Amino acid sequence: MTRRIVVSGGGSGIGQACAQWFAARGDEVFIVGRREQKLKDAAGTMGANANFIVADLSNVSGAQIVRDRIGSAKVDVIICAAGGTAAKTPTDLNEIDYEWRADIDQNLMTSVLLVEALRENISRPGGRIIGIGSIGAQLGSGYGGSYGAAKAAMHGWIYWLAQNLAEGDVTANLVNPGFIPDTEFFGERMNEDFRKVRVERSLLKRAGSLEDVADTVGFLASKEAGYITGQIIGVSGGTVFGR
Ligand SMILES: NC(=O)c1ccc[n+]([C@@H]2O[C@H](COP(=O)([O-])OP(=O)(O)OC[C@H]3O[C@@H](n4cnc5c(N)ncnc54)[C@H](OP(=O)(O)O)[C@@H]3O)[C@@H](O)[C@H]2O)c1
């Protein structure tokens, strides 16, 4: 049966890989992001069942754009992969204020607003909400602290969502990737030393691939994963243990 999948951040990196995973299996996908050309190009690689929506999900008007576009259609899987960090090395209160709010908006609020915009559309029973957190939540990630804290807030959000949606037999889980270099996430921070340190931190001594994350997301969206809810699933090669 063809499912309908909405993926924020689907124009690049992990979100794109997740959308591709479902599109390759014949599902209808809607990828959401702010950059139209990026989305167009990504959707172009996913076949006829791929659609894109240009929206900034950190604010209500962006979430409303997605809601209007989806209309009354049922949504089987929502993947909240939009995220990133604005943090550098803040030196004064104004910079700290900007970076913390930006990271909370980009990671937590994009996820909260997308799910709430589509709350009535979620397939019941059987719907799946999958957030993309980060091991940064558990490591107390650098970049001024705001990124790890924003991702840690997603833990509380997913626990609440799991409880809140359980009556409709909808599951909600968070996937916490480790170091996934084939993304736009690291930008100019990426270099050989940066990479080496992160690979060394993992027990398996390799970087994670986009497929490592997309396969996990695909499984959590499957019928077979129907008894898994309210969980934080690390995909980090053992960089951190447990949740
Ligand atoms: N790469 C890693 O090692 C790693 C590790 C742990 C967790 N993560 C998490 O994985 C998720 C995916 O990131 P990625 O690594 O694949 O990096 P990426 O390639 O930079 O993808 C992030 C995506 O989020 C979208 N986005 C950001 N803000 C948005 C907003 N306000 N509204 C709508 N879309 C927005 C971006 O598209 P637009 O700019 O076009 O909006 C972009 O496509 C993020 O949540 C990130 O924190 C990544």
PDB file of all heavy atoms in Angstrom, residues 180 206-217 235:
ATOM      1  N   ILE A 180      27.631  12.159  10.737  1.00  0.00           N
ATOM      2  CA  ILE A 180      27.186  11.812   9.378  1.00  0.00           C
ATOM      3  C   ILE A 180      27.735  12.900   8.441  1.00  0.00           C
ATOM      4  O   ILE A 180      27.094  13.961   8.243  1.00  0.00           O
ATOM      5  CB  ILE A 180      25.630  11.766   9.284  1.00  0.00           C
ATOM      6  CG1 ILE A 180      24.986  11.048  10.485  1.00  0.00           C
ATOM      7  CG2 ILE A 180      25.191  11.146   7.945  1.00  0.00           C
ATOM      8  CD1 ILE A 180      25.246   9.557  10.590  1.00  0.00           C
ATOM      9  N   ARG A 206      34.204   4.380  12.395  1.00  0.00           N
ATOM     10  CA  ARG A 206      33.871   4.902  11.063  1.00  0.00           C
ATOM     11  C   ARG A 206      32.812   5.984  11.212  1.00  0.00           C
ATOM     12  O   ARG A 206      32.108   6.051  12.237  1.00  0.00           O
ATOM     13  CB  ARG A 206      33.386   3.792  10.119  1.00  0.00           C
ATOM     14  CG  ARG A 206      32.028   3.201  10.451  1.00  0.00           C
ATOM     15  CD  ARG A 206      31.531   2.342   9.294  1.00  0.00           C
ATOM     16  NE  ARG A 206      30.280   1.657   9.574  1.00  0.00           N
ATOM     17  CZ  ARG A 206      29.067   2.180   9.398  1.00  0.00           C
ATOM     18  NH1 ARG A 206      28.913   3.412   8.977  1.00  0.00           N
ATOM     19  NH2 ARG A 206      27.984   1.463   9.660  1.00  0.00           N
ATOM     20  N   ALA A 207      32.714   6.807  10.181  1.00  0.00           N
ATOM     21  CA  ALA A 207      31.639   7.796  10.144  1.00  0.00           C
ATOM     22  C   ALA A 207      30.333   7.074   9.812  1.00  0.00           C
ATOM     23  O   ALA A 207      30.348   5.989   9.221  1.00  0.00           O
ATOM     24  CB  ALA A 207      31.947   8.844   9.080  1.00  0.00           C
ATOM     25  N   GLY A 208      29.222   7.673  10.191  1.00  0.00           N
ATOM     26  CA  GLY A 208      27.927   7.111   9.801  1.00  0.00           C
ATOM     27  C   GLY A 208      27.588   7.516   8.375  1.00  0.00           C
ATOM     28  O   GLY A 208      28.038   8.553   7.885  1.00  0.00           O
ATOM     29  N   SER A 209      26.809   6.671   7.723  1.00  0.00           N
ATOM     30  CA  SER A 209      26.372   6.993   6.355  1.00  0.00           C
ATOM     31  C   SER A 209      24.918   7.466   6.389  1.00  0.00           C
ATOM     32  O   SER A 209      24.188   7.245   7.363  1.00  0.00           O
ATOM     33  CB  SER A 209      26.494   5.750   5.466  1.00  0.00           C
ATOM     34  OG  SER A 209      25.545   4.782   5.877  1.00  0.00           O
ATOM     35  N   LEU A 210      24.518   8.083   5.302  1.00  0.00           N
ATOM     36  CA  LEU A 210      23.110   8.486   5.181  1.00  0.00           C
ATOM     37  C   LEU A 210      22.207   7.263   5.248  1.00  0.00           C
ATOM     38  O   LEU A 210      21.118   7.305   5.830  1.00  0.00           O
ATOM     39  CB  LEU A 210      22.905   9.233   3.859  1.00  0.00           C
ATOM     40  CG  LEU A 210      23.599  10.596   3.764  1.00  0.00           C
ATOM     41  CD1 LEU A 210      23.515  11.142   2.351  1.00  0.00           C
ATOM     42  CD2 LEU A 210      22.988  11.585   4.760  1.00  0.00           C
ATOM     43  N   GLU A 211      22.676   6.165   4.679  1.00  0.00           N
ATOM     44  CA  GLU A 211      21.877   4.924   4.684  1.00  0.00           C
ATOM     45  C   GLU A 211      21.706   4.391   6.106  1.00  0.00           C
ATOM     46  O   GLU A 211      20.661   3.841   6.443  1.00  0.00           O
ATOM     47  CB  GLU A 211      22.537   3.837   3.815  1.00  0.00           C
ATOM     48  CG  GLU A 211      22.541   4.132   2.327  1.00  0.00           C
ATOM     49  CD  GLU A 211      23.527   5.225   1.929  1.00  0.00           C
ATOM     50  OE1 GLU A 211      24.532   5.425   2.648  1.00  0.00           O
ATOM     51  OE2 GLU A 211      23.286   5.898   0.900  1.00  0.00           O
ATOM     52  N   ASP A 212      22.749   4.533   6.940  1.00  0.00           N
ATOM     53  CA  ASP A 212      22.626   4.069   8.335  1.00  0.00           C
ATOM     54  C   ASP A 212      21.400   4.717   8.988  1.00  0.00           C
ATOM     55  O   ASP A 212      20.638   4.073   9.719  1.00  0.00           O
ATOM     56  CB  ASP A 212      23.871   4.450   9.153  1.00  0.00           C
ATOM     57  CG  ASP A 212      25.103   3.622   8.793  1.00  0.00           C
ATOM     58  OD1 ASP A 212      24.951   2.442   8.444  1.00  0.00           O
ATOM     59  OD2 ASP A 212      26.224   4.179   8.871  1.00  0.00           O
ATOM     60  N   VAL A 213      21.233   6.010   8.748  1.00  0.00           N
ATOM     61  CA  VAL A 213      20.123   6.731   9.381  1.00  0.00           C
ATOM     62  C   VAL A 213      18.801   6.417   8.675  1.00  0.00           C
ATOM     63  O   VAL A 213      17.797   6.100   9.326  1.00  0.00           O
ATOM     64  CB  VAL A 213      20.382   8.257   9.388  1.00  0.00           C
ATOM     65  CG1 VAL A 213      19.257   8.973  10.125  1.00  0.00           C
ATOM     66  CG2 VAL A 213      21.727   8.576  10.025  1.00  0.00           C
ATOM     67  N   ALA A 214      18.815   6.457   7.340  1.00  0.00           N
ATOM     68  CA  ALA A 214      17.563   6.238   6.592  1.00  0.00           C
ATOM     69  C   ALA A 214      17.009   4.828   6.835  1.00  0.00           C
ATOM     70  O   ALA A 214      15.789   4.645   6.948  1.00  0.00           O
ATOM     71  CB  ALA A 214      17.792   6.470   5.101  1.00  0.00           C
ATOM     72  N   ASP A 215      17.890   3.831   6.931  1.00  0.00           N
ATOM     73  CA  ASP A 215      17.413   2.460   7.188  1.00  0.00           C
ATOM     74  C   ASP A 215      16.737   2.364   8.564  1.00  0.00           C
ATOM     75  O   ASP A 215      15.742   1.658   8.735  1.00  0.00           O
ATOM     76  CB  ASP A 215      18.575   1.460   7.129  1.00  0.00           C
ATOM     77  CG  ASP A 215      19.046   1.197   5.704  1.00  0.00           C
ATOM     78  OD1 ASP A 215      18.304   1.524   4.748  1.00  0.00           O
ATOM     79  OD2 ASP A 215      20.168   0.676   5.537  1.00  0.00           O
ATOM     80  N   THR A 216      17.290   3.064   9.534  1.00  0.00           N
ATOM     81  CA  THR A 216      16.700   3.046  10.887  1.00  0.00           C
ATOM     82  C   THR A 216      15.340   3.741  10.875  1.00  0.00           C
ATOM     83  O   THR A 216      14.359   3.245  11.451  1.00  0.00           O
ATOM     84  CB  THR A 216      17.647   3.747  11.883  1.00  0.00           C
ATOM     85  OG1 THR A 216      18.918   3.108  11.821  1.00  0.00           O
ATOM     86  CG2 THR A 216      17.111   3.678  13.300  1.00  0.00           C
ATOM     87  N   VAL A 217      15.286   4.868  10.198  1.00  0.00           N
ATOM     88  CA  VAL A 217      14.015   5.607  10.085  1.00  0.00           C
ATOM     89  C   VAL A 217      12.987   4.737   9.343  1.00  0.00           C
ATOM     90  O   VAL A 217      11.821   4.644   9.752  1.00  0.00           O
ATOM     91  CB  VAL A 217      14.236   6.957   9.364  1.00  0.00           C
ATOM     92  CG1 VAL A 217      12.914   7.603   8.967  1.00  0.00           C
ATOM     93  CG2 VAL A 217      15.055   7.898  10.257  1.00  0.00           C
ATOM     94  N   VAL A 235      22.040   6.228  16.434  1.00  0.00           N
ATOM     95  CA  VAL A 235      22.667   5.653  15.226  1.00  0.00           C
ATOM     96  C   VAL A 235      24.032   6.328  15.143  1.00  0.00           C
ATOM     97  O   VAL A 235      24.247   7.260  14.362  1.00  0.00           O
ATOM     98  CB  VAL A 235      21.821   5.909  13.963  1.00  0.00           C
ATOM     99  CG1 VAL A 235      22.449   5.249  12.747  1.00  0.00           C
ATOM    100  CG2 VAL A 235      20.391   5.385  14.157  1.00  0.00           C
TER     101      VAL A 235
END
